[in-house]
Short mmCIF file of all heavy atoms in Angstrom, two decimals:
data_model
loop_
_atom_site.label_atom_id
_atom_site.label_comp_id
_atom_site.label_asym_id
_atom_site.label_seq_id
_atom_site.Cartn_x
_atom_site.Cartn_y
_atom_site.Cartn_z
N VAL P 1 133.93 187.59 -30.24
CA VAL P 1 133.49 186.22 -30.48
C VAL P 1 133.22 186.04 -31.98
O VAL P 1 132.40 186.77 -32.55
CB VAL P 1 132.23 185.90 -29.66
CG1 VAL P 1 131.78 184.46 -29.93
CG2 VAL P 1 132.50 186.10 -28.17
N PRO P 2 133.87 185.09 -32.64
CA PRO P 2 133.66 184.90 -34.08
C PRO P 2 132.22 184.51 -34.40
O PRO P 2 131.55 183.81 -33.62
CB PRO P 2 134.62 183.76 -34.44
CG PRO P 2 135.62 183.71 -33.33
CD PRO P 2 134.88 184.15 -32.10
N LEU P 3 131.75 184.94 -35.57
CA LEU P 3 130.37 184.66 -35.96
C LEU P 3 130.13 183.16 -36.10
O LEU P 3 129.05 182.68 -35.75
CB LEU P 3 130.05 185.37 -37.28
CG LEU P 3 128.62 185.21 -37.81
CD1 LEU P 3 127.59 185.71 -36.80
CD2 LEU P 3 128.47 185.95 -39.14
N ASP P 4 131.11 182.41 -36.59
CA ASP P 4 130.88 180.98 -36.76
C ASP P 4 130.68 180.28 -35.41
O ASP P 4 129.91 179.32 -35.30
CB ASP P 4 132.01 180.31 -37.55
CG ASP P 4 133.38 180.49 -36.90
OD1 ASP P 4 133.49 181.23 -35.91
OD2 ASP P 4 134.35 179.90 -37.41
N ARG P 5 131.30 180.80 -34.36
CA ARG P 5 131.08 180.24 -33.03
C ARG P 5 129.65 180.55 -32.55
O ARG P 5 129.00 179.72 -31.92
CB ARG P 5 132.09 180.79 -32.03
CG ARG P 5 131.88 180.26 -30.62
CD ARG P 5 132.90 180.78 -29.64
NE ARG P 5 132.55 180.42 -28.27
CZ ARG P 5 133.21 180.81 -27.19
NH1 ARG P 5 134.28 181.57 -27.32
NH2 ARG P 5 132.82 180.43 -25.99
N ILE P 6 129.18 181.75 -32.86
CA ILE P 6 127.81 182.11 -32.49
C ILE P 6 126.81 181.19 -33.18
O ILE P 6 125.88 180.66 -32.55
CB ILE P 6 127.54 183.58 -32.85
CG1 ILE P 6 128.44 184.51 -32.03
CG2 ILE P 6 126.07 183.93 -32.63
CD1 ILE P 6 128.38 185.96 -32.45
N MET P 7 127.00 180.96 -34.48
CA MET P 7 126.07 180.12 -35.22
C MET P 7 126.15 178.67 -34.76
O MET P 7 125.12 177.98 -34.68
CB MET P 7 126.35 180.23 -36.72
CG MET P 7 126.27 181.66 -37.27
SD MET P 7 124.81 182.60 -36.76
CE MET P 7 123.51 181.69 -37.59
N SER P 8 127.33 178.19 -34.44
CA SER P 8 127.44 176.82 -33.94
C SER P 8 126.79 176.68 -32.58
O SER P 8 126.24 175.63 -32.24
CB SER P 8 128.91 176.38 -33.89
OG SER P 8 129.63 177.11 -32.90
N GLY P 9 126.82 177.77 -31.79
CA GLY P 9 126.13 177.76 -30.50
C GLY P 9 124.62 177.61 -30.69
O GLY P 9 123.96 176.90 -29.92
N LEU P 10 124.07 178.27 -31.71
CA LEU P 10 122.64 178.11 -32.00
C LEU P 10 122.32 176.68 -32.44
O LEU P 10 121.30 176.10 -32.05
CB LEU P 10 122.22 179.09 -33.09
CG LEU P 10 122.13 180.56 -32.67
CD1 LEU P 10 122.05 181.46 -33.89
CD2 LEU P 10 120.92 180.78 -31.76
N ASP P 11 123.21 176.10 -33.25
CA ASP P 11 123.01 174.70 -33.66
C ASP P 11 123.06 173.77 -32.45
O ASP P 11 122.28 172.82 -32.35
CB ASP P 11 124.07 174.30 -34.68
CG ASP P 11 123.93 175.04 -36.00
OD1 ASP P 11 122.84 175.57 -36.29
OD2 ASP P 11 124.94 175.10 -36.76
N ASP P 12 123.99 174.04 -31.55
CA ASP P 12 124.10 173.23 -30.34
C ASP P 12 122.84 173.36 -29.49
O ASP P 12 122.34 172.37 -28.93
CB ASP P 12 125.33 173.68 -29.54
CG ASP P 12 125.73 172.67 -28.47
OD1 ASP P 12 125.53 171.46 -28.69
OD2 ASP P 12 126.26 173.10 -27.43
N MET P 13 122.33 174.57 -29.38
CA MET P 13 121.08 174.79 -28.65
C MET P 13 119.95 173.96 -29.27
O MET P 13 119.19 173.30 -28.54
CB MET P 13 120.73 176.27 -28.68
CG MET P 13 119.41 176.63 -28.01
SD MET P 13 119.04 178.41 -28.21
CE MET P 13 117.48 178.53 -27.32
N GLU P 14 119.84 173.98 -30.59
CA GLU P 14 118.78 173.24 -31.24
C GLU P 14 118.92 171.74 -30.98
O GLU P 14 117.92 171.05 -30.70
CB GLU P 14 118.78 173.51 -32.75
CG GLU P 14 117.66 172.81 -33.48
CD GLU P 14 117.48 173.31 -34.91
OE1 GLU P 14 117.98 174.41 -35.24
OE2 GLU P 14 116.80 172.61 -35.69
N ARG P 15 120.13 171.21 -31.03
CA ARG P 15 120.34 169.79 -30.76
C ARG P 15 119.88 169.42 -29.36
O ARG P 15 119.21 168.40 -29.15
CB ARG P 15 121.81 169.43 -30.94
CG ARG P 15 122.26 169.30 -32.39
CD ARG P 15 123.62 168.63 -32.49
NE ARG P 15 124.66 169.43 -31.84
CZ ARG P 15 125.36 170.38 -32.46
NH1 ARG P 15 125.10 170.67 -33.73
NH2 ARG P 15 126.30 171.05 -31.82
N HIS P 16 120.23 170.26 -28.38
CA HIS P 16 119.85 169.97 -27.01
C HIS P 16 118.33 170.03 -26.84
O HIS P 16 117.75 169.22 -26.10
CB HIS P 16 120.53 170.94 -26.05
CG HIS P 16 121.94 170.55 -25.70
ND1 HIS P 16 123.01 170.85 -26.50
CD2 HIS P 16 122.44 169.87 -24.63
CE1 HIS P 16 124.11 170.40 -25.95
NE2 HIS P 16 123.80 169.80 -24.81
N TYR P 17 117.68 170.96 -27.49
CA TYR P 17 116.22 171.05 -27.39
C TYR P 17 115.55 169.84 -28.03
O TYR P 17 114.58 169.29 -27.49
CB TYR P 17 115.72 172.35 -28.04
CG TYR P 17 115.69 173.53 -27.10
CD1 TYR P 17 116.83 173.98 -26.46
CD2 TYR P 17 114.51 174.21 -26.85
CE1 TYR P 17 116.80 175.07 -25.59
CE2 TYR P 17 114.45 175.30 -25.99
CZ TYR P 17 115.62 175.72 -25.37
OH TYR P 17 115.58 176.79 -24.51
N VAL P 18 116.05 169.43 -29.19
CA VAL P 18 115.49 168.25 -29.85
C VAL P 18 115.69 167.02 -28.98
O VAL P 18 114.76 166.22 -28.77
CB VAL P 18 116.12 168.07 -31.24
CG1 VAL P 18 115.73 166.72 -31.83
CG2 VAL P 18 115.68 169.19 -32.18
N ASP P 19 116.90 166.84 -28.46
CA ASP P 19 117.19 165.67 -27.63
C ASP P 19 116.31 165.64 -26.38
O ASP P 19 115.96 164.56 -25.88
CB ASP P 19 118.66 165.66 -27.21
CG ASP P 19 119.60 165.37 -28.38
OD1 ASP P 19 119.10 164.91 -29.43
OD2 ASP P 19 120.81 165.62 -28.24
N ALA P 20 115.96 166.83 -25.86
CA ALA P 20 115.13 166.91 -24.66
C ALA P 20 113.64 166.86 -24.99
O ALA P 20 112.80 166.92 -24.08
CB ALA P 20 115.44 168.19 -23.89
N GLY P 21 113.29 166.73 -26.28
CA GLY P 21 111.89 166.65 -26.68
C GLY P 21 111.16 167.97 -26.55
O GLY P 21 109.93 167.98 -26.39
N GLN P 22 111.88 169.08 -26.66
CA GLN P 22 111.28 170.40 -26.50
C GLN P 22 110.95 171.02 -27.86
O GLN P 22 111.63 170.79 -28.85
CB GLN P 22 112.24 171.33 -25.74
CG GLN P 22 112.53 170.90 -24.33
CD GLN P 22 111.30 171.02 -23.43
OE1 GLN P 22 110.45 171.87 -23.62
NE2 GLN P 22 111.24 170.16 -22.42
N GLY P 23 109.89 171.84 -27.88
CA GLY P 23 109.57 172.59 -29.08
C GLY P 23 110.65 173.61 -29.40
O GLY P 23 111.42 174.03 -28.52
N LEU P 24 110.69 174.05 -30.66
CA LEU P 24 111.82 174.86 -31.13
C LEU P 24 111.54 176.35 -31.17
O LEU P 24 112.38 177.12 -31.65
CB LEU P 24 112.26 174.38 -32.52
CG LEU P 24 112.87 172.99 -32.57
CD1 LEU P 24 113.29 172.65 -34.00
CD2 LEU P 24 114.06 172.86 -31.63
N ALA P 25 110.40 176.80 -30.67
CA ALA P 25 110.12 178.24 -30.70
C ALA P 25 111.22 179.06 -30.02
O ALA P 25 111.63 180.10 -30.57
CB ALA P 25 108.76 178.54 -30.07
N PRO P 26 111.75 178.66 -28.85
CA PRO P 26 112.83 179.45 -28.25
C PRO P 26 114.09 179.48 -29.11
O PRO P 26 114.81 180.48 -29.13
CB PRO P 26 113.08 178.75 -26.92
CG PRO P 26 111.80 178.04 -26.61
CD PRO P 26 111.30 177.59 -27.94
#
């Protein structure tokens, strides 16, 4: 799995947490 895909997955996770109104500790 390319590293850029891994990092974009983390960005996607952050977007979903923000949209859901969740804190970012996870």
Side-chain angles (χ1 to χ4, degrees):
V1 180
L3 182 58
D4 58 354
R5 179 179 171 185
I6 296 172
M7 303 313 293
S8 67
L10 287 166
D11 293 340
D12 195 32
M13 177 184 181
E14 183 167 343
R15 283 193 297 272
H16 278 82
Y17 272 59
V18 170
D19 290 346
Q22 296 292 329
L24 293 182

